[in-house]
Amino acid sequence: MTRAALTERTVTVAGKDIFFAETGEGPAVLLLHGGGPGASGVSNYSRNIGELARKFRVIVPDLPGYGRSSKGVDRSDPFGYLADNIRGLLDRLNLGRAHLVGNSYGGACALRLALDTPERVEKMVLMGPGGIGTTRALPTPGLQSLLSYYTGDGPSRDKLESFIRKYLVFDGATVPAEVIDERYRSSIDPAVVADPPLRRPSGPGALRTLWGMDFTRDRRLRRLATPTLVIWGADDKVNRPSGGRMLAHTMPNCDLLLAATTGHWVQWERADFFNAVTTAFLTGSTR
């Protein structure tokens, strides 16, 4: 894997800090990470940044609530809050448009940003994005494991290892112990434990929030013409692969790739494949 020298910065968006790293030159590509415990931008895309930086200006933020960005997320509209903050980051960087690449939670952020302001997005690559058909079936065992991390007896390395090895990837034995150690340390940041960024909606407005977090309920999806590549692990145990078909059947300009023997972490599990198809899609013609 190509390693790239990263420049790190923090900017303020609507009074909140957004940390990001960047490298490379060319069209801007934002890499938006997933929402699992201890996730962060650079760690989630460690196998992709250097290769993508050969062709692009690669910008890798920590989403609100994660890593070195400010903690706390708007519980009434989590995906909208993420999208607003990333759009604010684009504004701070004087980027009128950019490519968005998003895994899981980050995929939901990218999709919401494109729905709200399609003029800001050149192309999208979505890997097992969140918010696809989530009100049409019970949560998967993997998603239940993720959402229960901070509940019950609280976070532990054993709980995180179980989630990563059993649900996040197809072959749990391939994940080095140091990856789990790093994520566990991040997951027990007191500010995160006090206000976990990814939780089941609760309270009087929970149903409205859940409905709003399912993009298949959003009428705008059928009109979203942003060129989009969806890559879904065929053995994804967190977000059902059937979500890929939902997007391909609904969005007017959406290609779908199903990755064999791959779980929820396509960009890490199948890094060479991911880097090649993402580069080809973002640099190629849409027709």
Side-chain angles (χ1 to χ4, degrees):
M1 298 291 173
T2 301
R3 291 190 175 274
L6 297 172
T7 300
E8 298 181 346
R9 290 176 57 193
T10 299
V11 298
T12 302
V13 174
K16 301 286 188 177
D17 288 341
I18 299 292
F19 168 86
F20 66 97
E22 71 170 298
T23 186
E25 297 181 353
V29 177
L30 269 69
L31 305 183
L32 306 175
H33 65 80
S40 66
V42 172
S43 67
N44 274 207
Y45 288 101
S46 61
R47 296 182 170 188
N48 320 113
I49 294 169
E51 290 300 320
L52 295 179
R54 294 174 179 270
K55 297 280 188 180
F56 305 102
R57 177 187 177 187
V58 179
I59 301 165
V60 195
D62 288 345
L63 291 175
Y66 293 85
R68 287 187 261 178
S69 292
S70 291
K71 305 307 181 281
V73 173
D74 180 357
R75 299 288 170 202
S76 66
D77 185 16
F79 295 160
Y81 181 80
L82 296 179
D84 289 347
N85 275 266
I86 295 304
R87 187 183 305 104
L89 175 60
L90 292 177
D91 292 341
R92 291 299 310 271
L93 297 177
N94 295 315
L95 291 171
R97 293 168 66 86
H99 299 302
L100 301 181
V101 175
N103 175 226
S104 193
Y105 198 54
C109 171
L111 195 48
R112 177 62 183 270
L113 197 158
L115 285 168
D116 289 348
T117 49
E119 71 279 2
R120 304 299 298 271
V121 184
E122 289 281 0
K123 296 181 182 179
M124 285 192 295
V125 179
L126 307 175
M127 303 88 77
I132 310 302
T134 46
T135 62
R136 302 178 189 274
L138 293 174
T140 64
L143 186 57
Q144 290 180 27
S145 174
L146 190 161
L147 292 172
S148 66
Y149 181 71
Y150 289 101
T151 62
D153 55 0
S156 71
R157 190 188 183 284
D158 284 347
K159 286 173 74 172
L160 184 58
E161 183 169 22
S162 175
F163 167 69
I164 289 174
R165 296 200 189 280
K166 188 175 181 181
Y167 296 113
L168 184 64
V169 298
F170 175 75
D171 183 357
T174 62
V175 182
E178 52 267 28
V179 170
I180 298 171
D181 290 338
E182 179 186 356
R183 287 190 63 148
Y184 176 61
R185 286 192 295 269
S186 297
S187 77
I188 57 173
D189 178 329
V192 176
V193 175
D195 190 9
L198 188 57
R199 288 189 282 186
R200 287 186 179 91
S202 60
L207 189 58
R208 181 190 296 269
T209 299
L210 281 169
W211 202 267
M213 292 174 72
D214 185 348
F215 295 111
T216 67
R217 306 285 185 184
D218 193 324
R219 295 178 181 177
R220 298 176 296 173
L221 194 63
R222 292 190 176 278
R223 304 191 301 271
L224 184 61
T226 303
T228 301
L229 172 63
V230 174
I231 311 174
W232 217 299
D235 293 279
D236 191 332
K237 296 181 179 67
V238 178
N239 290 334
R240 290 182 176 86
S242 57
R245 285 266 178 223
M246 291 183 187
L247 287 175
H249 286 159
T250 305
M251 298 175 70
N253 199 7
C254 178
D255 295 317
L256 173 62
L257 284 176
L258 199 62
T261 62
T262 307
H264 189 56
W265 224 14
V266 174
Q267 79 279 8
W268 193 90
E269 297 176 72
R270 301 282 304 279
D272 291 342
F273 166 77
F274 170 82
N275 294 337
V277 298
T278 296
T279 298
F281 178 74
L282 295 182
T283 56
S285 169
T286 58
R287 282 285 182 263

